[in-house]
Structure formats: structure tokens, C-alpha cells
Amino acid sequence: MTKALLLLALPEPVRKKYYERIRAAFPQLEVNLVDHHGKVGPYIGEAQILITFGAHMAPHVLEQAAKREWVQAVGTGVDGITDQPALGDNVLVTNMHGLHGDSVPEAAVMLMLALARKLHRSIRSQAARRWDRFPSSLLKGKTAGIFGIGAIAEALAPKLKAFGMTVVGISSSPRAVPGIDRVVHRDEMPRVVPEFDHFVLLTPYTAETRGIVNAKVFAALKPTAFLVNLARGGVVDEPALVEVLRAGRLAGAALDVFATEPLPEDHPFWTMENVIVTPHLGGFHDQYVDQALPTIEENLRRWLAGDTAHMVNVVRRPAAA
């Protein structure tokens, strides 16, 4: 019998929904579920199929997956999967490309407004029962920079235009995009970021983008600017970000993703008054499972039928050097 393992570090009702629906739709599969990579031991050695998020992975998972043939990422990002040496060139990888066009733009707008309106300060004042009035910032008339121009950015840009913002894109392949006033190459980032009042990160995490938002970029930003990271933690040089935030050379940051997840309890971000921390919630919402399962089920049907050529969202990996 073909065996599939779901490695999903999600709330129990959410992970059980994946598990129960897949089991019901595919009785010919042996389906197992674990909620942490440390629990894969009894199942991973025999599993041909692994269904997981890259952020939920650890190197030993693929190292122990002796019969691995296909990994279905339940998110768009495949870091944590395709960057693992143990994956192997012949293992098929598919993802959820195009599934975040509603949730992540809404998260970006929420975090931008929270920073501009100093919502985190108001919440602290409420907890202290302190009547604390202060002026906030408008989005209207401000400039937003978006690093990473794909489906999410294309959905976000019109929302920002509706607030009366100027929108500038940064991409490895500049092109005209509706709702974005202009797009520049990422090599021009230090030159263009001084214009930004809000800098939103949406770019995939790759070898080329690792630590690309660094001290040089922070030095070029206005001290009144805000950073929003909904991409991957590894895109940002986190020690450099801590330094500029502590020094008041950046007004604030809203961070949904981190180099190490969960964010360690002793990390400075937790206690910094100009930082909003959310635990990788940007794409996580009440409709996500129902939106993701049709892709998973279609790929399972095709994989079981031997029709791998027509599976959905196959991740094209660069050939080994």
C-alpha cells in the first residue's frame, strides 16, 4: 500500500481536517499524521509521499525518508524542502503557488496600518489602563515599496493605491504591473529605498535573497520608515535590523517571519516597543484548508494514476552544477 505522511505543525482541528479529508478521499492510501518533525520516526522511512510546510521541516526528515518520491508543500515557499541536500534530484516537489493572493495582502495592509497608527502602543496602554493620546501617520500620500513582484504583490498594489499611496516595486525581472507606479531591479534597492515610508517584503527566500535586506539597505531607509516582512526571515539581516531599531534609525517593524521559527523566547524582537511580532500568520486563515485541499487532492489523484506530467504547481528546480 502507498504510504503518505502529513507533517503539519498546526492547531489540532486544522491538521485533522487535512488528515480526515485525505483519508476519506483516498482509501487506497495509508495516511499518517504528526504535528512535529521530531515525531516522524515511526512513519517517514516507509512514506513515498510527504505533505508538509517547508517551515515545519528539519533536515533529518528527508534524511530518513528512504522511499521518498514526492513532497507536496502546503504553502507557496519551498525553502526547507528544495534546499535540503537529502531531497534528491529525482524527488517531485509541488506547492500552493497562487493561493495567497487574498490573505497576505490583507495581512500587509493590517500591519502597515498597525504601524502607522501605533496600534501596538495603544494595546500596551490598554493593558496598563493608561489614557495615552498621540498623533498617528496616514498612509495617504506616502510611498510603499514592495520587494518581490508576483501574484501577492499584484493583489496588494491596488489596495495600497486605494489608500492614496505611491507604489514602487523591486524585482529581479522588472516589468510593468497594474497598480504599481514603477518597478526597478533589485540591484537598485539601496538607491530607491530612501523614497519609502513603508517597505513590504514578499520576495521568495533563495540563495540570491539570503540576507539581502541588510545594514546597507537599513542605512538608506528614512528613520521614519516602517518595515513589514511577510516573505521569509532569512531575507533580512536580523542582527542589523535589531541594531537600527534600537538606535531609532528605523521607526518600526512588523515581522511575521523569522530566521528561526518559532522565534526563540530570548530574542530581542519580543520586547522591542517598536516591533510587532506575529507568528507566521500572514497566509493562515479560516478558509485556507478548503482552498489548499483541492490542489492536494488533484495531485494525489494524478500521482496515483501515474500522471505526474500533469500535476499542479510542479516546482522547477535548477539543474545541479
Side-chain angles (χ1 to χ4, degrees), residues 74-143:
V74 191
T76 300
V78 290
D79 50 295
I81 299 172
T82 58
D83 55 1
Q84 295 297 319
L87 176 65
D89 295 337
N90 296 323
V91 176
L92 183 68
V93 178
T94 53
N95 72 352
M96 290 291 161
H97 177 74
L99 200 64
H100 299 82
D102 296 320
S103 55
V104 175
E106 286 192 15
V109 171
M110 174 192 73
L111 293 173
M112 292 169 68
L113 285 168
L115 289 167
R117 292 280 175 170
K118 298 184 175 69
L119 182 61
H120 45 310
R121 176 172 167 177
S122 293
I123 291 172
R124 287 196 300 270
S125 295
Q126 179 181 349
R129 303 187 182 192
R130 182 177 61 247
W131 189 260
D132 178 25
R133 300 186 73 240
F134 50 85
S136 60
S137 302
L138 296 178
L139 297 187
K140 183 178 180 179
K142 303 294 175 53
T143 296

Side-chain angles (χ1 to χ4, degrees), residues 31-308:
V31 184
N32 292 292
L33 169 68
V34 296
D35 63 0
H36 189 271
H37 58 72
K39 300 178 181 180
V40 301
Y43 315 107
I44 191 63
E46 296 296 317
Q48 294 104 318
I49 303 168
L50 176 64
I51 300 173
T52 189
F53 287 88
H56 299 176
M57 289 283 282
H60 70 267
V61 175
L62 290 173
E63 289 167 1
Q64 296 174 16
K67 297 185 178 180
R68 62 193 182 280
E69 296 181 28
W70 165 37
V71 181
Q72 170 70 62
V74 191
T76 300
V78 290
D79 50 295
I81 299 172
T82 58
D83 55 1
Q84 295 297 319
L87 176 65
D89 295 337
N90 296 323
V91 176
L92 183 68
V93 178
T94 53
N95 72 352
M96 290 291 161
H97 177 74
L99 200 64
H100 299 82
D102 296 320
S103 55
V104 175
E106 286 192 15
V109 171
M110 174 192 73
L111 293 173
M112 292 169 68
L113 285 168
L115 289 167
R117 292 280 175 170
K118 298 184 175 69
L119 182 61
H120 45 310
R121 176 172 167 177
S122 293
I123 291 172
R124 287 196 300 270
S125 295
Q126 179 181 349
R129 303 187 182 192
R130 182 177 61 247
W131 189 260
D132 178 25
R133 300 186 73 240
F134 50 85
S136 60
S137 302
L138 296 178
L139 297 187
K140 183 178 180 179
K142 303 294 175 53
T143 296
I146 303 175
F147 177 27
I149 306 303
I152 295 172
E154 291 176 8
L156 173 61
K159 294 176 171 58
L160 301 183
K161 296 298 288 185
F163 282 98
M165 302 190 80
T166 299
V167 182
V168 178
I170 300 174
S171 174
S172 59
S173 53
R175 61 197 183 279
V177 178
I180 300 182
D181 294 280
R182 73 183 196 279
V183 181
V184 302
H185 194 276
R186 71 183 180 200
D187 291 345
E188 298 184 65
M189 193 185 310
R191 180 189 63 78
V192 74
V193 296
E195 302 176 28
F196 299 166
D197 299 289
H198 292 260
F199 190 18
V200 182
L201 309 183
L202 300 175
T203 190
Y205 178 58
T206 65
E208 291 74 26
T209 62
R210 183 182 297 118
I212 194 171
V213 183
N214 53 26
K216 183 178 180 181
V217 173
F218 295 137
L221 284 164
K222 302 174 185 176
T224 55
F226 298 109
L227 178 75
V228 174
N229 190 5
L230 287 158
R232 286 291 187 268
V235 170
V236 173
D237 180 338
E238 289 184 350
L241 178 57
V242 169
E243 182 179 342
V244 296
L245 288 165
R246 280 177 169 165
R249 300 199 303 272
L250 193 65
L255 308 172
D256 187 55
V257 288
F258 305 90
T260 300
E261 295 184 7
L263 185 66
E265 292 182 5
D266 60 351
H267 199 287
F269 287 147
W270 286 116
T271 56
M272 299 179 77
E273 293 193 353
N274 53 353
V275 173
I276 297 172
V277 169
T278 55
H280 209 139
L281 295 177
F284 192 30
H285 58 86
D286 58 346
Q287 300 172 39
Y288 192 90
V289 179
D290 290 327
Q291 292 178 4
L293 275 168
T295 295
I296 297 172
E297 290 167 342
E298 179 66 15
N299 277 342
L300 281 166
R301 279 190 288 271
R302 292 188 180 277
W303 193 86
L304 290 167
D307 186 16
T308 57

